[in-house]
Amino acid sequence: MADCNHNCGSCGKSCEERDLKAHLRAGSSVKKVIGIVSGKGGVGKSLVTSLLASKVCKDGFKTAILDADITGPSIPESFGMGDARATAMENEDALNPVITDSGIQLMSMNFLLQNENDPVIWRGPVIGGAVKQFWTDVAWKDVDFMFVDMPPGTGDVPLTVFQSLPVDGIIVVSTPQQLVRVIVEKAVNMANMMNIPILGLVENMSYVKCPDCDKKITVFGKSNIDEIAKNFNLPVLARIPMEESTTSAVDAGDVESLDIPELADAAAAVEKLLK
């Protein structure tokens, strides 16, 4: 609702009585929306978002990424699109998504800044408004799957996305450390409280494969992902290893060239939403 000030204590209506969903601009089309979330930063949400969008695109679907990490966007650099700012602004009637080499549509705050290293010093409600505008004001063209790269935590932006966008499912990203366990559980519990379907869990930086004997070395110790998955009755969709080739490709803005076989089940879980 346009008149919602997000102050539930002063509101006489239940959110169930309100239509809080934002609407796409005329002519835009997005069939399915997938949120990539975690309760903690630094676990690789942007990497998983980029890899999944690329994998699903290679499987023949039209994909897009809405970079909801307004203050710390990294999606443009992963795709080598750090200098594409003029493209997003050239349409006077709407924002244009930036198109990658393989046809993935991107929208990120870095495309709208005069300089990509300018800080975005905004309070939560303004950031939430920007995320909503990425949904309503961008000319999204026949998108089968939109992946939303969310900032860490369970605050303003995840709440805005869950309330304003028609999220069809989320994937929760984790790493093996014991410290991450409670943070992951917070993200899962938030999604459950807001009735957002959880497709499953992805563990990033799961292990390092020895180049000589192929043995899997658990750098961060014993993984907790199976126990978390069992507690919440969720599938583990992927365990992504740490590989120098992955880091090099992302740093070079060439994430689309990567083929990560460990993500096959995660991509299948997403694609099943249309099949």
Side-chain angles (χ1 to χ4, degrees), residues 103 178 209 247:
Q178 176 68 25
K209 187 176 291 186
T247 303

Side-chain angles (χ1 to χ4, degrees), residues 163-181:
Q163 288 185 331
S164 302
L165 274 60
V167 180
D168 296 282
I170 68 166
I171 291 175
V172 182
V173 182
S174 174
T175 52
Q177 300 101 312
Q178 176 68 25
L179 172 66
V180 176
R181 173 175 176 162

